Amino acid sequence: MKIDGNAIRPGMVIHHKDRLLVATRIQHTQPGKGGAYLQVELKDIRDGTKLNERFRSSESVERVRLWDTSHQFLFADADFFTFMNSETFEQTIINRDMLGSSAAFLQDGMEVMIQSHEDEVVGVSLPETVVLAIAETEAVVKGQTAASSYKPAILENGLRIMVPPHIETGVRVVVNTADATYRERAKD
């Protein structure tokens, strides 16, 4: 579907220069001389490269719709992850590189959304948060709790995050998958 260049919003996927690009940041600019334009930071869905483009309202771009399908994570091997479609039970195999650092949050049976365009998988969305146990953390130093401070901790999946001083080894915590940050203590 064609849209005006100034109608691009963050999160939209467009087809531009023979590539599938997602808009990550936009800025409306109206210079003193010449017409207004939209400065858009784009990220290639397939290889992750970034591109900055200017779009005027007179230009049109092709907006792309991605199909989201619910899948369940089954298992991982050296270079690939295997997921099962929740409706058709077909298996989908995805290269480890496509998930990047978020692969560390995959858990057996986890429900994820796989985005595809024209039968090609272009992305995997994990749940916003996951619950993980703290495998190792430092002891609290007396007086350290007076100020708002955080201490390093290692999760059961091997990732290192910063947690409040009252969190101890073995405690289960809620972690944001987008930026690998502590959100809260898990409710048991």
Side-chain angles (χ1 to χ4, degrees):
M1 148 173 71
K2 294 273 187 187
I3 61 171
D4 290 336
N6 64 351
I8 298 172
R9 298 290 173 258
M12 279 187 181
V13 179
I14 63 170
H15 188 263
H16 182 67
K17 295 185 177 179
D18 293 328
R19 296 163 67 184
L20 283 179
L21 304 162
V22 62
T24 55
R25 188 177 6 205
I26 64 167
Q27 180 180 359
H28 291 277
T29 305
Q30 190 163 359
K33 198 175 190 181
Y37 60 87
L38 188 66
Q39 182 74 32
V40 183
E41 183 177 292
L42 300 162
K43 183 177 178 184
D44 191 306
I45 287 181
R46 292 182 179 107
D47 62 18
T49 57
K50 290 190 177 181
L51 173 72
N52 284 309
E53 288 287 326
R54 291 181 179 179
F55 295 99
R56 299 197 183 281
S57 61
S58 59
E59 297 178 62
S60 64
V61 294
E62 183 73 27
R63 182 174 180 188
V64 176
R65 296 263 185 212
L66 299 180
W67 295 104
D68 287 340
T69 52
S70 178
H71 282 71
Q72 182 180 25
F73 173 62
L74 296 178
F75 61 90
D77 63 14
D79 295 323
F80 299 98
F81 293 105
T82 303
F83 298 89
M84 179 181 67
N85 186 311
S86 301
E87 295 174 7
T88 64
F89 304 111
E90 293 178 10
Q91 291 187 3
T92 303
I93 298 172
I94 297 176
N95 192 317
R96 183 175 291 274
D97 296 337
M98 183 174 285
L99 274 85
S101 62
S102 64
F105 293 111
L106 282 174
Q107 299 172 349
D108 289 340
M110 177 183 275
E111 290 290 323
V112 300
M113 296 302 284
I114 294 184
Q115 294 91 26
S116 58
H117 175 68
E118 297 177 353
D119 296 328
E120 176 191 1
V121 174
V122 294
V124 178
S125 296
L126 272 61
E128 188 177 319
T129 60
V130 293
V131 176
L132 294 166
I134 300 292
E136 182 182 328
T137 188
E138 297 173 3
V140 177
V141 176
K142 188 171 179 151
Q144 186 178 15
T145 58
S148 175
S149 62
Y150 283 78
K151 64 181 182 178
I154 298 173
L155 297 169
E156 63 184 291
N157 63 1
L159 283 180
R160 182 180 219 87
I161 65 168
M162 299 299 284
V163 297
H166 64 84
I167 301 294
E168 299 171 357
T169 301
V171 172
R172 296 176 53 78
V173 295
V174 178
V175 180
N176 287 329
T177 56
D179 55 4
T181 57
Y182 167 86
R183 180 178 276 184
E184 64 186 358
R185 185 179 187 141
K187 294 167 181 61
D188 293 325

